[in-house]
């Protein structure tokens, strides 16, 4: 990729891409070869029965649905549309533009502002955040796998299943080579070359962009399933889970209620779990709607803190205090290293610096700031923040973003880590390699004072888009990801995480869907 190439009229071209795609959004989604049947017609699914219902066709949901379909019928419900045929998702040269223009109901990225006042995004398309993110792929650390109690051999097999289908070794752009040298100059050692593992030092990670610049989202993993067993319902938003009280001591999920994403909330449809005489062998409703979506659906279904549900007149199914709790987002900081916006091609991170005993992650990219201009920035995140907040409903319309507060840097330890991270960022951004490349004066000797950095952290903290929590293991779900207190309901996504794994969570979420799918299959065999 030629980094500084400028195309005359590029802004007009990109604007035309936006217009043409938005005008061409149809009720029948583009069908990619090898994928299961996809439809946006809710009546095709209304009233039907399936062995499993997966809510959310995102990073974990697609790999989970593909795995379950090897033996069972699966309904996969996604509130957004298909990524196929959408250049803003599929083409690397348009990376980041999907985050610039968002709307309330249709855009592939849905923006939200936390109560902290910080802009953020969530995926609203088949493939979820794997369709709008940086595409950087790196496994979780061994300590994370041990902490969450996963089987090492099955984890390895699940990672490899994903990697053989949608993961690639990148060919470094000139900017990424420069960043690589900048990280090493700043003392982020040793140099580890290309690696899938989460190891301290400077490394080249994998990517979901292939050699032609085409993105491969989690939706591609549906091709690995049994297409005869999967129905994908697009542009449909789940209102709530339907429960059945078998007896006074047991409440069981047996279906979902859903609406058209651009329809009316009172025009709802239902789909159900197949039922036989032995309820112990029934399948599950599985929430994979993400760190905002899954706790929101639980709350709308009557599972959560009783007092909060009462504020919205939602009938109580289970008073489960942890729903919406332990919400965390990794505090990030970024430094612009170019002098002004220019018309460079976007460039996604391919190199990462993992420093300070895994506590700081540094990456760099070129991201659009408008339809015809980009900026070069070096960014970093605090990997293990202690500060946490909570998620609450913002109304009963499932299409509206819930209210969420992360309480960035509320804990002194996080603020101290941010100061340390900022000093490292200054060293990287001010390195001879980067300064020479962008033809900017080397300011490596003009470091800010401790107090200036503390103020800067509080003022300029931003998201790294790795928020998690809301349905955490041990609080809302057990070690098998079953929701406490009800039968037939699980959560499998980043809302279950107590920390964001690796350099970023995408690889581990892709693995987790496959992992839990295999585990669920084995449970059914044993029963």
């Amino acid at each position: 990729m030629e980094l500084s190439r400028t195309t005359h009229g590029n802004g007009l071209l990109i604007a035309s891409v936006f217009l043409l795609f938005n005008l061409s959004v149809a009720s029948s989604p583009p069908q990619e070869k090898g994928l299961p049947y996809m439809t946006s017609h809710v009546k095709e699914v209304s009233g039907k029965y399936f062995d499993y219902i997966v809510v959310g066709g995102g990073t974990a949901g697609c790999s989970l649905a593909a795995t379950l379909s090897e033996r069972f019928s699966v309904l996969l419900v996604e509130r957004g549309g298909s990524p196929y045929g959408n250049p803003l998702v599929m083409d690397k040269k348009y990376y980041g533009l999907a985050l610039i223009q968002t709307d309330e109901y249709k855009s592939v990225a849905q923006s939200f502002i936390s109560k902290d006042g910080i802009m953020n995004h969530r995926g609203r398309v088949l493939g979820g955040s794997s369709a709008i993110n940086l595409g950087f792929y790196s496994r979780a650390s061994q300590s994370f796998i041990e902490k969450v109690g996963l089987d090492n051999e099955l984890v390895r097999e699940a990672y490899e299943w994903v990697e053989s289908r949608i993961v690639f070794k990148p060919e470094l752009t000139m900017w990424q080579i420069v960043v690589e040298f900048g990280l090493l100059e700043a003392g982020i050692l040793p140099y580890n070359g290309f690696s899938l593992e989460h190891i301290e030092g400077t490394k080249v990670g994998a990517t979901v962009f292939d050699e032609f610049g085409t993105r491969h989202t989690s939706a591609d993993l549906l091709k690995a399933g049994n297409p005869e067993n999967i129905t994908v319902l697009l542009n449909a938003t789940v209102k709530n889970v339907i429960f059945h009280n078998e007896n006074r001591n047991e409440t069981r999920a047996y279906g979902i209620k859903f609406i058209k994403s651009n329809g009316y909330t009172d025009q709802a449809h239902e789909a159900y779990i197949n039922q036989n005489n032995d309820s112990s062998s029934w399948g599950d409703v599985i929430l994979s709607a993400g760190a905002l979506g899954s706790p929101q659906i639980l709350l709308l279904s009557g599972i959560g803190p009783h007092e909060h549900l009462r504020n919205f007149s939602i009938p109580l199914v289970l008073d489960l205090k942890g729903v919406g709790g332990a919400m965390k987002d990794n505090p990030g900081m970024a430094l612009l290293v170019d002098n002004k916006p220019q018309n460079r091609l976007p460039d996604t991170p391919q190199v990462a610096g993992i420093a300070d005993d895994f506590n700081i992650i540094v990456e760099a990219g070129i991201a659009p700031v408008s339809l015809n201009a980009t900026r070069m920035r070096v960014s970093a995140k605090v990997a293990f923040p202690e500060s946490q907040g909570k998620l609450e409903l913002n109304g009963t319309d499932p299409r509206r973003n819930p209210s969420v507060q992360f309480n960035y840097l509320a804990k002194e330890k996080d603020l101290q880590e941010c100061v340390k991270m900022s000093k490292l960022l200054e060293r990287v951004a001010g390195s001879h390699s980067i300064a020479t490349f962008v033809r900017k004066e080397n300011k490596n000797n003009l470091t800010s004072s401790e107090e200036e950095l503390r103020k800067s952290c509080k003022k300029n903290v931003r998201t790294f888009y790795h928020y998690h929590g809301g349905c955490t293991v041990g609080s809302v779900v057990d070690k098998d990801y079953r929701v406490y207190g009800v039968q037939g309901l699980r959560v499998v996504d980043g809302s279950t995480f107590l920390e964001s794994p690796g350099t970023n969570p995408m690889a581990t979420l892709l693995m987790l869907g496959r992992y839990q799918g295999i585990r669920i299959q084995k449970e059914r065999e044993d029963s």
Side-chain angles (χ1 to χ4, degrees):
M1 179 181 290
E2 189 179 347
L3 183 69
S4 60
R5 185 178 68 191
T6 301
T7 304
H8 180 67
N10 196 38
L12 181 60
L13 172 65
I14 293 171
S16 300
V17 169
F18 268 106
L19 180 61
L20 286 172
F21 183 77
N22 286 333
L23 290 175
S24 67
V25 173
S27 57
S28 298
Q31 289 292 138
E32 182 83 358
K33 186 178 179 181
L35 284 170
Y37 178 66
M38 299 193 295
T39 181
S40 293
H41 297 291
V42 292
K43 290 184 178 178
E44 289 189 39
V45 171
S46 183
K48 292 188 176 180
Y49 288 78
F50 303 86
D51 295 326
Y52 288 91
I53 297 175
V54 178
V55 179
T59 310
C62 287
S63 56
L64 174 62
T67 303
L68 291 174
S69 76
E70 294 170 358
R71 293 190 52 206
F72 305 104
S73 64
V74 180
L75 171 63
L76 178 62
V77 184
E78 168 53 45
R79 68 197 185 109
S82 168
Y84 300 105
N86 186 343
L88 304 183
V89 171
M90 304 300 292
D91 195 331
K92 186 178 179 180
K93 67 175 173 285
Y94 298 123
Y95 157 72
L97 293 174
L99 304 182
I100 291 177
Q101 289 196 352
T102 60
D103 58 43
E104 192 170 2
Y105 294 125
K106 289 183 179 179
S107 56
V108 297
Q110 184 179 17
S111 62
F112 68 95
I113 299 176
S114 69
K115 293 176 74 173
D116 312 276
I118 294 175
M119 173 70 78
N120 215 318
H121 292 90
R122 54 194 294 219
R124 183 170 49 192
V125 60
L126 189 67
S129 293
S130 73
I132 62 172
N133 67 9
L134 301 169
F136 193 92
Y137 181 98
S138 181
R139 296 178 178 183
S141 65
Q142 182 58 36
S143 65
F144 177 87
I145 299 302
E146 292 171 359
K147 201 178 298 182
V148 297
L150 301 182
D151 177 80
N152 279 314
E153 183 60 25
L154 185 53
V155 165
R156 182 186 62 78
E157 291 175 9
Y159 272 130
E160 291 175 354
W161 180 85
V162 171
E163 290 154 9
S164 66
R165 290 167 170 84
I166 63 168
V167 179
F168 306 88
K169 181 179 179 179
E171 184 174 331
L172 295 188
T173 62
M174 182 58 68
W175 169 233
Q176 292 299 313
I177 293 171
V178 169
V179 170
E180 191 175 43
F181 279 109
L183 294 171
L184 294 171
E185 275 186 62
I188 305 178
L189 302 168
Y191 177 66
N192 296 304
F194 174 76
S195 177
L196 294 170
E197 303 301 334
H198 189 53
I199 46 181
E200 193 155 23
T202 294
K203 61 167 258 187
V204 178
T207 180
V208 295
F209 288 99
D210 65 22
E211 61 181 312
F212 304 107
T214 300
R215 184 193 292 266
H216 294 264
T217 76
S218 65
D220 283 14
L221 297 175
L222 294 173
K223 299 175 184 177
N226 181 347
E228 300 299 317
N229 278 347
I230 308 178
T231 298
V232 181
L233 177 61
L234 300 174
N235 300 304
T237 301
V238 171
K239 286 188 70 175
N240 58 271
V241 178
I242 305 170
F243 295 99
H244 174 65
N245 293 312
E246 294 188 323
N247 53 58
R248 292 182 179 179
N249 297 320
E250 185 172 289
T251 300
R252 174 174 288 275
Y254 80 100
I256 58 169
K257 188 173 288 189
F258 57 92
I259 61 172
K260 291 178 66 173
S261 291
N262 63 349
Y264 298 100
T265 56
D266 59 352
Q267 295 179 358
H269 303 263
E270 296 181 357
Y272 310 102
I273 295 294
N274 277 326
Q275 302 171 22
N276 54 35
N277 293 330
D278 180 10
S279 63
S280 66
S281 64
W282 291 3
D284 303 307
V285 173
I286 307 174
L287 304 184
S288 296
L292 266 61
S294 289
Q296 180 184 28
I297 293 171
L298 285 182
L299 292 170
L300 291 171
S301 304
I303 297 179
H306 187 194
E307 290 184 8
H308 180 54
L309 298 178
R310 191 163 49 200
N311 292 336
F312 297 91
S313 302
I314 297 174
L316 181 69
V317 172
L318 180 68
D319 186 9
L320 192 57
K321 304 292 187 189
V323 177
M327 293 296 300
K328 291 185 176 183
D329 192 13
N330 300 83
M333 295 288 285
L335 291 178
L336 296 171
V337 296
D338 51 0
N339 295 300
K340 61 182 180 179
Q342 295 189 41
N343 195 2
R344 299 182 181 90
L345 285 174
D347 192 20
T348 58
Q350 299 156 344
V351 178
I354 303 164
D356 190 34
D357 195 24
F358 296 93
N359 283 301
I360 298 173
I361 314 293
V362 185
E363 296 174 349
I366 303 176
V369 291
S370 69
L371 293 182
N372 57 3
T374 58
R375 295 301 302 265
M376 307 172 76
R377 57 169 61 99
V378 180
S379 307
K381 77 167 185 177
V382 175
F384 309 114
E386 291 185 351
S387 307
Q388 61 183 38
K390 65 178 178 179
L391 175 147
E392 294 182 324
L393 293 177
N394 207 16
T396 56
D397 186 338
R399 297 166 299 184
R400 290 187 64 189
N401 285 314
S403 170
V404 62
Q405 183 165 6
F406 297 110
N407 291 319
Y408 297 96
L409 307 179
K411 298 283 188 179
E412 175 62 22
K413 180 178 178 293
D414 294 347
L415 186 55
Q416 291 176 0
E417 200 65 44
C418 183
V419 169
K420 195 183 299 184
M421 174 176 71
S422 298
K423 291 178 179 178
L424 181 58
L425 264 182
E426 286 189 344
R427 293 203 303 274
V428 175
S431 65
H432 177 75
S433 299
I434 290 178
T436 302
F437 185 77
V438 299
R439 297 175 184 175
K440 196 172 184 179
E441 183 184 350
N442 190 328
K443 297 182 179 180
N444 205 16
N445 59 338
L446 301 176
T447 55
S448 306
S449 69
E450 192 94 2
E451 187 56 35
E452 286 173 331
L453 290 175
R454 287 176 68 90
K455 289 178 180 178
S456 175
C457 281
K458 291 177 181 179
K459 179 182 177 181
N460 299 312
V461 65
R462 62 192 293 271
T463 182
F464 224 72
Y465 303 106
H466 298 166
Y467 52 88
H468 50 283
C471 299
T472 53
V473 174
S475 177
V476 177
V477 299
D478 64 17
K479 62 181 179 61
D480 295 313
Y481 294 75
R482 297 181 184 273
V483 176
Y484 287 120
V486 294
Q487 302 296 314
L489 181 61
R490 302 183 196 237
V491 181
V492 178
D493 60 23
S495 70
T496 64
F497 289 169
L498 289 164
E499 67 182 57
S500 180
T503 54
N504 59 58
M506 179 176 68
T508 303
L509 288 168
L510 292 165
M511 175 276 291
L512 186 67
R514 174 67 176 176
Y515 181 100
Q516 291 300 331
I518 293 172
R519 289 289 301 271
I520 291 169
Q521 285 190 28
K522 189 174 187 310
E523 284 179 19
R524 288 288 288 267
E525 287 177 11
D526 294 343
S527 68

